[in-house]
Amino acid sequence: SDKLNPNETFVIVGFYKSEEQLNWILKNNLYNFRTGTDKGSLPLSNENVNAKYLILHGIDELITNKIFQLKTLGPKILSQNNLIKKGYPNPSGELYLVYEIDKDVSEDFQNVLIDLRKLSKFESHRNSAKPISITLTEILKAKTVEL
């Protein structure tokens, strides 16, 4: 496989609200971000469309091992209605960028923990639910290995 250039490889950090939402993500191998212009939505930027990995965290989860590889096709845009049909719990937005997750956890990240506090764009507390996209370089600097 092609060697990834970590400076040009993008990772999206996303939030899940509840165990129910996490279970849906893992069962369907899909993760959705609200898109559009409101606060907390993810714009259709080059970084976001071409992201290779997804890191998930829950409320007050500052260190996470939930690292997923994304399918290379990029996200699809789905409506609230599409998500309801897929059984997604309570979608609140109108349009979503939906990413397909490749497999459980990327082999590149077996037994790795990411300390989100080490990421420059990460905001804790109230803003921690805001999605951010960053380079793989920065993610690797925030790595702590599980024993």
Side-chain angles (χ1 to χ4, degrees):
S1 67
D2 301 339
K3 268 296 188 219
L4 294 175
N5 174 347
N7 292 320
E8 291 168 17
T9 302
F10 294 98
V11 179
I12 305 180
V13 178
F15 178 77
Y16 61 90
K17 284 196 284 279
S18 61
E19 222 35 50
E20 182 191 15
Q21 199 179 38
L22 180 63
N23 291 337
W24 183 90
I25 294 163
L26 299 175
K27 192 182 104 193
N28 293 279
N29 285 318
L30 294 174
Y31 184 80
N32 55 287
F33 291 96
R34 290 205 319 276
T35 189
T37 51
D38 61 328
K39 194 174 158 270
S41 66
L42 192 71
L44 265 169
S45 65
N46 175 41
E47 285 97 330
N48 294 337
V49 170
N50 294 307
K52 293 267 189 296
Y53 297 100
L54 169 69
I55 293 179
L56 291 181
H57 67 100
I59 296 165
D60 296 329
E61 187 177 2
L62 294 169
I63 295 181
T64 179
N65 63 349
K66 298 176 182 72
I67 306 167
F68 304 93
Q69 203 164 327
L70 295 172
K71 288 246 164 94
T72 47
L73 304 162
K76 295 187 174 88
I77 293 189
L78 293 183
S79 70
Q80 186 179 40
N81 215 18
N82 294 139
L83 279 182
I84 291 169
K85 284 191 184 133
K86 289 183 184 292
Y88 184 76
N90 312 318
S92 58
E94 284 178 26
L95 288 176
Y96 289 86
L97 285 185
V98 180
Y99 290 82
E100 265 186 88
I101 295 170
D102 223 359
K103 48 184 179 294
D104 248 18
V105 172
S106 168
E107 274 143 34
D108 313 331
F109 287 108
Q110 287 297 330
N111 305 322
V112 164
L113 289 166
I114 301 296
D115 186 340
L116 299 171
R117 291 164 297 193
K118 293 185 181 167
L119 304 175
S120 59
K121 289 186 192 170
F122 184 75
E123 297 178 57
S124 50
H125 312 303
R126 254 203 20 231
N127 286 323
S128 70
K130 262 193 349 211
I132 55 174
S133 65
I134 37 194
T135 64
L136 185 57
T137 304
E138 206 185 329
I139 294 290
L140 295 172
K141 286 181 189 152
K143 203 165 83 160
T144 59
V145 177
E146 250 178 316
L147 296 173

